[in-house]
Amino acid sequence: MSYQAAGAAVASVTTPATVGMAASNRIRASLASGKASVGAWIMLPGTTVARTMATLGFDVLIALPWILIDGEHGNMQDSDWHDSVNAVAVWGPSPIIRIPQGEEFIIKRALDTGAHGIMVPMCNTVEYAKEIVQRSKFPPMGRRGHGGPFPATAWKTTMDDYNKNANANTFIIVQIETKQAVENADAIAAVEGIDMLFVGPNDLAASYGLPPTSEDYSPIMEEAMEKIRSAAKRHGKFVGIWASDGPMAARRIEQGFQMVSVGADVMAIGAGKLSGKAYLSARKLANQDATASKIEKAEKFHIQRGKDDLHLVQAWVEAREHLIVASERPIGRVGTTGREPCLAAGHLAQLVHRVAYGGDAAKRFHPVLAPSAPKPHAPLAAPPSAPAPLTAQPMRRTRQLPQQAVERGARERSRDDTTLITAPPDYTIFSIQNPVLSLTGFTPLRNGPPQRPDRTGEYTTGFVGGAASNSDKSFGVVGLVMFDLRSRGKINKISMVGTTGLKNEGIRAHLQNGIGKKYKGLDTTVDLMPADGVERDPEAYKAAIDKLSPGDAVIVFTPDDTHFPIALYAIEHGCHVMVAKPAVKTVDQHRQIVNAAERKGVLAVVELHKRYDPIYADAREKIRTFGDFSHYNAYMSQPKQQLKTFKSWAGKSSDISYYLNSHHIDMLTWSQQGRAVPISVVASAATGVATSEEYGCVSGTEDTITVMVTFKNIASGSRGTALFTSSWIAPKAEVHSQQRFFYMGHNGEVRVDQAHRGYEAADDSRGFYQNNPLFLRYTPDPLGRYAGQSTYGHQSFEKWVDAVLAVNKGENTPGDFETSLPTFSSTLVVTQILEAGRQSLDSNGAKIDLV
């Protein structure tokens, strides 16, 4: 059950006069969507703490709609409010200040910081509620004085706009936290200008003579809270409540509370115990009681996760003597106990996501996490010459713990009896062994004898043409990340499997020279398969997978048409799978992977690293505030020199649209989950360069492909159009790959140029170029160590590895990651559009209707 406020409280943010401030008003937008608005509390002063809390959830692609700055019980003065408000607002969430009491000068000081709203404690009477409104609103609605020069900054607007529209946008919350307030709740909710009634559970319990608590409540408390909810609903107002952890937040959401907290900064300092208990409570592992031993086990698990979470590096600098932050992975110390807590922000963000949003019921309340599968349409008429419409059925999500995961979680596995594999040449296998995970990954496999057997494995090792690639990935990505994970104890053994052993010696030397000698502490020891000297073994991957055990994992980085057979073989063996984009070539293959993964209880994902890019992730959330979809235009390119690497498969097993358009198709469909669905596709292409004598690709290979997709907005039925253009004939430029998109919604637009947001450099060998250290940082830190753990190219792999570990331990099911990882079941629509584009090209540009 959920309530949506009606009337002026919502209408005020949609009028033309207030649209400027409304664009920054995340709390109103999230509540007006009808979904639960989940945020967090700040009780410590300082911009570092505020920035960290404001970016909670970025690692799992969630942007919190609000952060409450606690001026009542927090350790801060009103001067600290200015710092915290602006530090929060710049990252997107609406900063709300809970003031110590509703005195006129306090309200004025709080709102003059630019706070998007205030929370006033102990509002017991209708007279006090009316006075709060008078003190919070400019004339003629109230008597707040003009003149504060600061608030416009936090609203990202002008002072003129702020003075005109603050009354309609400022969010006023009053706390109902006494027996008297409950009795007057109906009259308080009726006061014009009050936007929300917020339950203060501790003081409310105390007023009824009960122990202060925010956990399970007595029937008296539940009855009181129902009166508050009913009063809010009756008068079109929102209702919120404090929750101490994820499970309690999920419960309150189910009861109809729309604004729910899930913790605070001070709680995260001791989050080892907090999250261990919360995790057990939420997941109800094996439906057994949370015994002391289980809590201890879960606590240790979360402490280890916290040490490896790079978000902790920026967190808690201002927690004074209570915390010591190391240069790479923070080690925490609380008081003098010497205990290492699971500190911080990144972990609290995962608590928000996995616990509060983790259940199926919770997903219904959060706009970002709404299920992505659209309801099927009736097929539209297809042209006589066009192929049959493509269909994408909603995917069933796994909610029960698979038997395989239970067995794996119950097994005691020692470091000596588990293994991992990876590979280099024509395809590459990564096999990672540790007590709970064995990982295998592949990189380019050929269907027939390769024309240039030495030109493979760029993304895995960077070894191309017998030397380091001349692209921006001269030492690869996958191998480097795996070596780092091994150095940090997540991986024990690494093996790489290809189709030929003739390159093994060169690969070992390449890895040692480019990685082993460059980064302190990175061991590049790796098992290469097939064995040295083997000229060709196109099925070496099968032998490698056959050596693995159920619960091990496989990374597939091969030519597009080989993804399906390799991934399916690994899944049928009981292995978790990550596949490079595009996932597979057809919708039928995609469904087979989803069904096999669900049957085997394994986690199958697509390596769509742009989801972890903080710019793209933030843009996605901004897009979802702009109403219905109208237009999208995306472009992505590769320099034509890459055709010398790609020619052995370009135009044969795949095309440039599958290879590059998949990223931006996923970006758009991900941003439109639950809102708009594709209904038809038309594609066209340019030719002439790839097939020239210089580049020698097979006849028919397209240079540039444009795919036009028509979308239907689900709620309104209005239409939108999207253009996805990809090319591999771009000239050599200051960046390896041009990547940009433009989005227009009914209420706003977004422009992202990913290629030009790093920094410029020039040297004698390369000339002028742009670096993008946000993707992967190749530059060592001052101590000579690899420092790319926080980059999105790295996070794409590590977050999947962490998820596989959690599934193998029995802490999660694969279905728990449907909203935080690009799983096969959540990315079916991408394959649907790509296949339709290919069918349109093969049918002379015919329109392909989707079902």
Side-chain angles (χ1 to χ4, degrees):
M1 176 173 65
S2 66
Y3 305 143
Q4 179 172 337
V10 174
S12 62
V13 300
T14 59
T15 61
T18 63
V19 71
M21 291 180 68
S24 299
N25 202 336
R26 289 282 297 279
I27 185 170
R28 280 194 184 275
S30 66
L31 289 166
S33 72
K35 314 297 182 181
S37 186
V38 178
W41 234 253
I42 293 178
M43 303 187 78
L44 297 175
T47 57
T48 301
V49 172
R51 283 198 305 268
T52 300
M53 296 298 286
T55 56
L56 294 188
F58 279 21
D59 59 341
V60 287
L61 309 177
I62 299 169
L64 298 183
W66 57 269
I67 294 290
L68 187 134
I69 299 159
D70 194 351
E72 182 187 18
H73 295 302
N75 177 26
M76 56 179 69
Q77 305 176 31
D78 72 346
S79 60
D80 297 315
W81 298 348
H82 282 268
D83 295 337
S84 297
V85 162
N86 283 282
V88 168
V90 74
W91 286 101
S94 286
I96 308 296
I97 297 178
R98 178 163 73 167
I99 57 179
Q101 56 181 311
E103 294 296 327
E104 188 157 3
F105 80 94
I106 297 177
I107 291 176
K108 182 185 299 184
R109 294 286 293 168
L111 292 177
D112 277 357
T113 67
H116 292 191
I118 56 171
M119 178 183 289
V120 183
M122 294 291 179
C123 181
N124 296 327
T125 67
V126 65
E127 291 78 17
Y128 189 34
K130 291 179 179 178
E131 191 62 23
I132 289 169
V133 174
Q134 282 290 306
R135 297 167 181 176
S136 303
K137 304 292 185 179
F138 292 128
M141 191 173 181
R143 61 174 185 269
R144 178 187 170 194
H146 288 277
F150 306 114
T153 302
W155 285 93
K156 304 181 181 68
T157 188
T158 64
M159 278 305 303
D160 182 62
D161 182 47
Y162 180 83
N163 288 329
K164 289 178 180 177
N165 299 310
N167 281 355
N169 283 279
T170 304
F171 200 74
I172 308 300
I173 306 168
V174 294
Q175 285 196 263
I176 307 298
E177 44 189 347
T178 66
K179 184 178 179 180
Q180 180 188 11
V182 173
E183 294 171 351
N184 293 325
D186 193 76
I188 293 172
V191 174
E192 183 181 0
I194 298 296
D195 296 296
M196 172 178 286
L197 307 186
F198 193 94
V199 177
N202 292 312
D203 287 320
L204 183 60
S207 76
Y208 281 97
L210 301 171
T213 178
S214 59
E215 303 298 330
D216 293 326
Y217 298 130
S218 69
I220 295 175
M221 281 285 288
E222 294 293 354
E223 181 181 356
M225 289 190 293
E226 178 56 35
K227 288 181 180 178
I228 298 169
R229 287 195 299 268
S230 297
K233 181 182 179 182
R234 190 157 41 248
H235 295 285
K237 303 300 173 66
F238 299 106
V239 62
I241 193 169
W242 161 265
S244 59
D245 59 17
M248 185 56 67
R251 178 179 172 186
R252 296 309 172 201
I253 290 170
E254 287 283 8
Q255 291 179 330
F257 288 98
Q258 298 147 294
M259 177 180 176
V260 184
S261 68
V262 75
D265 50 3
V266 293
M267 295 170 64
I269 293 179
K273 181 174 291 186
L274 164 70
S275 59
K277 290 181 178 179
Y279 211 88
L280 284 172
S281 174
R283 299 302 176 206
K284 298 180 181 177
L285 296 179
N287 285 325
Q288 297 177 8
D289 292 335
T291 62
S293 62
K294 283 191 175 184
I295 291 175
E296 181 180 358
K297 180 179 179 181
E299 183 174 347
K300 289 179 179 178
F301 170 68
H302 287 287
I303 288 171
Q304 183 58 48
R305 291 188 66 100
K307 290 179 184 177
D308 292 327
D309 192 334
L310 289 160
H311 283 267
L312 306 188
V313 176
Q314 63 179 346
W316 320 120
V317 171
E318 297 200 18
R320 310 284 193 301
E321 72 278 7
H322 299 294
L323 181 65
I324 297 174
V325 179
S327 61
E328 282 191 9
R329 295 195 301 278
I331 304 298
R333 181 165 55 80
V334 175
T336 58
T337 65
R339 179 168 64 89
E340 290 184 0
C342 176
L343 306 170
H347 186 77
L348 186 58
Q350 294 186 11
L351 186 63
V352 173
H353 166 66
R354 293 181 179 168
V355 183
Y357 301 155
D360 283 338
K363 289 176 187 175
R364 295 196 301 270
F365 293 93
H366 198 276
V368 175
L369 302 175
S372 61
K375 295 180 180 179
H377 294 307
L380 300 178
S385 60
L390 296 175
T391 61
Q393 301 299 326
M395 290 297 165
R396 183 165 61 91
R397 290 180 165 82
T398 303
R399 296 308 308 165
Q400 294 186 341
L401 196 65
Q403 183 61 32
Q404 295 92 331
V406 174
E407 293 171 355
R408 288 195 295 271
R411 246 179 6 237
E412 289 295 331
R413 305 179 68 180
S414 69
R415 184 171 292 277
D416 295 333
D417 66 5
T418 55
T419 313
L420 161 83
I421 305 176
T422 70
D426 298 296
Y427 59 86
T428 301
I429 298 179
F430 294 87
S431 164
I432 305 172
Q433 307 172 354
N434 77 6
V436 282
L437 174 66
S438 177
L439 171 67
T440 305
F442 301 84
T443 313
L445 170 68
R446 307 282 186 249
N447 284 332
Q451 297 178 14
R452 306 179 70 99
D454 58 339
R455 289 188 175 276
T456 54
E458 180 179 55
Y459 205 84
T460 301
T461 65
F463 189 71
V464 175
S469 165
N470 58 4
S471 74
D472 59 347
K473 303 174 184 67
S474 55
F475 294 101
V477 176
V478 187
L480 177 57
V481 172
M482 296 302 145
F483 294 140
D484 173 70
L485 293 179
R486 179 171 62 184
S487 74
R488 291 157 54 207
K490 294 191 175 185
I491 292 172
N492 188 16
K493 179 182 178 182
I494 300 178
S495 303
M496 296 186 175
V497 181
T499 57
T500 177
L502 300 180
K503 298 194 292 183
N504 290 358
E505 183 177 350
I507 289 170
R508 291 190 190 97
H510 168 77
L511 294 175
Q512 177 59 23
N513 292 331
I515 296 177
K517 294 182 179 180
K518 184 175 183 177
Y519 303 107
K520 180 181 178 180
L522 283 195
D523 176 14
T524 60
T525 301
V526 60
D527 289 344
L528 299 179
M529 296 178 280
D532 293 7
V534 174
E535 184 173 355
R536 182 163 177 76
D537 181 2
E539 296 195 341
Y541 75 91
K542 292 184 177 179
I545 292 174
D546 289 342
K547 294 179 181 179
L548 300 177
S549 301
D552 294 343
V554 176
I555 300 175
V556 182
F557 266 71
T558 66
D560 300 349
D561 61 334
T562 64
H563 291 180
F564 174 68
I566 296 173
L568 189 62
Y569 191 89
I571 290 171
E572 294 294 350
H573 195 73
C575 295
H576 305 280
V577 169
M578 170 183 275
V579 180
K581 54 79 190 169
V584 288
K585 298 294 292 297
T586 70
V587 170
D588 179 67
Q589 291 175 346
H590 203 120
R591 287 204 193 98
Q592 289 188 56
I593 294 291
V594 172
N595 294 335
E598 185 171 341
R599 174 166 41 83
K600 288 292 185 175
V602 299
L603 180 61
V605 304
V606 186
E607 201 282 312
L608 290 161
H609 49 259
K610 291 192 187 304
R611 288 200 181 194
Y612 304 93
D613 180 342
I615 305 299
Y616 273 60
D618 190 73
R620 188 255 190 185
E621 299 309 312
K622 181 69 68 176
I623 284 170
R624 291 179 70 84
T625 69
F626 289 159
D628 279 358
F629 166 58
S630 180
H631 181 67
Y632 187 82
N633 193 334
Y635 173 72
M636 193 166 177
S637 70
Q638 290 272 301
K640 58 171 65 76
Q641 67 193 38
Q642 288 292 103
L643 285 172
K644 296 177 180 178
T645 299
F646 300 152
K647 64 184 294 185
S648 56
W649 58 267
K652 301 175 184 177
S653 62
S654 191
D655 59 38
I656 188 59
S657 180
Y658 273 105
Y659 186 67
L660 291 185
N661 274 338
S662 50
H663 270 308
H664 282 121
I665 291 174
D666 178 70
M667 176 64 191
L668 179 60
T669 56
W670 180 42
S671 72
Q672 297 303 310
Q673 283 180 341
R675 298 185 173 195
V677 293
I679 58 176
S680 66
V681 174
V682 174
S684 63
T687 60
V689 176
T691 56
S692 66
E693 183 177 351
E694 181 177 0
Y695 299 102
C697 293
V698 298
S699 177
T701 302
E702 297 93 350
D703 297 340
T704 304
I705 294 176
T706 296
V707 177
M708 187 181 80
V709 185
T710 300
F711 281 77
K712 179 180 179 181
N713 290 298
I714 296 173
S716 66
S718 62
R719 302 299 173 93
T721 58
L723 294 172
F724 304 95
T725 300
S726 57
S727 176
W728 44 24
I729 66 163
K732 185 176 180 179
E734 77 284 5
V735 293
H736 180 76
S737 176
Q738 301 287 349
Q739 304 177 32
R740 54 184 178 267
F741 74 81
F742 168 81
Y743 176 92
M744 178 180 286
H746 284 196
N747 299 321
E749 63 184 43
V750 166
R751 292 177 294 278
V752 174
D753 183 354
Q754 187 190 41
H756 298 92
R757 61 181 192 184
Y759 62 90
E760 299 174 354
D763 57 46
D764 291 338
S765 61
R766 294 177 59 185
F768 171 71
Y769 57 92
Q770 290 261 348
N771 275 331
N772 180 13
L774 298 179
F775 169 68
L776 197 70
R777 176 177 169 175
Y778 288 101
T779 307
D781 73 5
L783 298 179
R785 298 168 298 189
Y786 169 71
Q789 293 92 344
S790 62
T791 58
Y792 62 88
H794 179 110
Q795 287 287 300
S796 179
F797 292 97
E798 184 165 2
K799 289 188 179 300
W800 176 68
V801 170
D802 287 342
V804 168
L805 286 166
V807 171
N808 284 353
K809 286 184 176 182
E811 302 283 356
N812 289 92
T813 70
D816 292 334
F817 298 98
E818 286 297 305
T819 55
S820 59
L821 297 178
T823 63
F824 263 78
S825 56
S826 66
T827 56
L828 177 63
V829 66
V830 178
T831 300
Q832 185 186 25
I833 292 172
L834 288 169
E835 184 184 3
R838 185 67 256 173
Q839 288 190 1
S840 178
L841 288 173
D842 293 342
S843 304
N844 296 318
K847 174 185 169 187
I848 306 298
D849 295 291
L850 308 180
V851 177

